[in-house]
Each structure stands twice: as structure tokens, then as C-alpha cells.
Amino acid sequence: KEKVEITKEQQALMKIITDAYNRHQIPQDVAKKLLQDQYSAEENFLLLTEMATSQVQVLVEFTKNIPGFLSLDREDQIALLKGSAVEAMFLRSAQVFSRKMPSGHTEVLEERIRKSGISEEFITPMFNFYKSIGELHMVQEEQALLTTVTILTPDRPYVKDQQAVERLQETMLDVLRKLCVLQHPQEPQYFARLLGRLTELRTLSHYHTEMLASWRMNDHKFTPLLCEIWDV
Ligand SMILES: CCOC(=O)[C@H]1CN(C(=O)c2ccc(F)c(F)c2)CC(C)(C)c2c1[nH]c1ccccc21
């Protein structure tokens, strides 16, 4: 049985990414606001767009801390951000949603999200994804690295130097693989399960594009940053 060992450099890399990931949390107050009072669907939607807008800002700040990201071609940096924003939002949503909340809060939150004008056909796959992420009981290092791996996906639209992105992503995948083996020794397939979630994430982001179309129809307003990043 080969001895899996995280090297000093990989340890340092993981610390930089995890610290950045924890530093750049979206303000919990938006989720709290959603929990506090009973709002109309419009007010829920507004809160969610506020949450999404701040998450994009957080994502940009977090990405700057990924070692090697800022040495990529500038336009490729934008293409990676734009291409991963929705997936990163759902990953973060899943983490917020599956966080231990006082009993009954998760149900209230789920209810509020259901009452924000999202059609039922998207709600089910979305909550299934949240549950499947929750079941993984990821440690924060795994959450940070999984988001990093998602951002560093080489085959996003308009990425010119895919090899450069691939090299970076492979570096992160190697650390994540070792971490999974060390964190979940009794589950040799854990790393594979984690990567399987990234496939589910892509499906969700396709649903999201359709969701946006239905919101546009009921003339829902988005912030300029969301219009930019969500192509609405
Ligand atoms: C981390 C940033 O995430 C978001 O901003 C998501 C939040 N989403 C959640 O399910 C969710 C998870 C946990 C919570 F605590 C919570 F409050 C919401 C998903 C979605 C409903 C699809 C959405 C978001 N923003 C929007 C803006 C407009 C329309 C729809 C959304």
C-alpha cells in the first residue's frame, strides 16, 4: 500500500487556499435575513440577488489568492472567472445550506428559497445537489480545494492557453487527492465521489441559465455585476 504523503510545498499551498477561502466568506447576514422574517417572493429574490452579487465579489478576491492564477493570461483569468461563477455559487450555496444550523432553520431556509420565484423543476435538482454535498462532510480544506479545482477548469469558453490552466488544476487535484485519502482512509472512493459532484455542478449551472430566462420573463431585476457574470 503506497504511503500517501503531502509535501511541504503542498501543505503551504493548501494553507494559502484554505485561509483565503475562509477569509472570503459571504456575509452570513443575507442568509440570516432570509431566515428572519417572512418576505414576499420579490423581497426573497432581491435578497438572493444581493447574496449572489456579494458572492461574485468574494469569488474574485478568493481567486486572486490561488497561487499561479495571476500569472495566467489576463483574458484567460476573466474567462475562468466568468466560466466558473455559477458553479462556484452553487458550491458555496451547498456549503452554506448544509452547515449545521439551529434545528428548524434549514427547513425555513428551504421554504424561503422555494418561495423566491424559482420554478419547481430547478428546485428539486438544486436541493438534491445540496444534500449530496452535505453527505460528503467535506473538511474546509477540501471545500476550498474543490472550489479551486472548479475555477481552474481548462475547457471553459474563450480560454486560450488551456495547457497553463491544466497544469495549475493538476497541481490542485494532486493535493486534493492526497487530502481525501488522508482524511477519509476508510473510503478509498471518496476522491472519485468528490469529482463526481463537479459533473452534477455542471448540470446545475445549465439549469441556472434556463432559470434566468424564466426570471427575465417576469422582469426580475439583476445587479449590473450579475448581468455581467450571468449573461443576463
Ligand atoms: C452563495 C451565494 O448563493 C446565491 O446567491 C444563491 C443562493 N441559492 C440558494 O439555494 C441558497 C443557499 C443557501 C442559503 F442560505 C440561501 F439563502 C440560498 C441558490 C439560488 C436560489 C439559485 C440563488 C442564489 N442567488 C440567487 C439570485 C437570484 C436567484 C436565485 C439565486
Side-chain angles (χ1 to χ4, degrees):
K1 211 156 140 25
E2 112 269 16
K3 178 103 184 58
V4 164
E5 204 173 305
I6 293 184
T7 67
K8 283 260 161 293
E9 302 81 36
Q10 289 177 321
Q11 197 78 41
L13 185 67
M14 196 161 55
K15 184 162 175 19
I16 292 167
I17 288 172
T18 309
D19 290 351
Y21 191 75
N22 292 335
R23 230 182 8 258
H24 298 117
Q25 292 271 6
I26 31 161
Q28 284 307 323
D29 57 352
V30 181
K32 279 204 191 72
K33 268 192 219 159
L34 261 180
L35 279 165
Q36 234 142 38
D37 321 302
Q38 179 72 27
Y39 296 108
S40 70
E42 283 66 38
E43 283 158 337
N44 277 355
F45 187 82
L46 217 60
L47 274 174
L48 287 169
T49 36
E50 187 189 317
M51 191 175 181
T53 305
S54 74
Q55 191 265 340
V56 172
Q57 291 155 344
V58 160
L59 178 73
V60 173
E61 284 317 303
F62 168 65
T63 312
K64 287 180 188 164
N65 292 277
I66 298 173
F69 184 83
L70 294 178
S71 349
L72 292 171
D73 172 282
R74 218 135 173 67
E75 284 167 358
D76 285 356
Q77 291 177 31
I78 307 288
L80 292 177
L81 268 169
K82 208 159 151 40
S84 64
V86 172
E87 290 176 22
M89 176 192 82
F90 279 120
L91 258 186
R92 179 69 84 172
S93 297
Q95 279 140 21
V96 172
F97 198 79
S98 30
R99 187 159 303 149
K100 197 82 203 85
M101 277 187 252
S103 76
H105 281 211
T106 311
E107 292 69 23
V108 170
L109 195 54
E110 183 163 335
E111 202 36 48
R112 296 279 152 82
I113 296 163
R114 287 181 187 283
K115 293 250 168 324
S116 55
I118 299 172
S119 45
E120 198 49 39
E121 64 182 301
F122 304 125
I123 291 283
T124 312
M126 191 172 81
F127 281 116
N128 288 344
F129 176 71
Y130 294 171
K131 284 182 185 63
S132 70
I133 288 285
E135 281 155 10
L136 287 169
H137 301 294
M138 278 191 268
V139 296
Q140 54 177 4
E141 289 81 356
E142 287 165 339
Q143 290 182 20
L145 281 167
L146 193 65
T147 301
T148 304
V149 164
T150 305
I151 295 163
L152 297 173
T153 301
D155 62 345
R156 297 290 187 201
Y158 316 113
V159 171
K160 296 171 295 188
D161 188 353
Q162 293 203 5
Q163 275 73 21
V165 182
E166 209 154 344
R167 272 195 301 274
L168 267 186
Q169 191 191 45
E170 266 152 28
T171 309
M172 305 300 166
L173 280 168
D174 192 36
V175 187
L176 183 55
R177 181 181 53 75
K178 289 183 178 178
L179 185 67
C180 289
V181 170
L182 293 171
Q183 287 288 336
H184 312 269
Q186 77 291 354
E187 252 203 284
Q189 291 316 316
Y190 186 88
F191 179 58
R193 276 177 67 198
L194 218 47
L195 297 189
R197 295 289 167 271
L198 296 186
T199 316
E200 231 179 304
L201 205 46
R202 285 215 181 192
T203 316
L204 257 191
S205 73
H206 295 316
Y207 280 132
H208 186 70
T209 316
E210 287 169 50
M211 272 193 229
L212 292 173
S214 66
W215 284 315
R216 294 294 288 153
M217 249 117 72
N218 328 336
D219 84 346
H220 278 86
K221 291 278 165 294
F222 293 91
T223 59
L225 180 58
L226 282 191
C227 293
E228 179 64 36
I229 208 105
W230 283 0
D231 278 333
V232 282

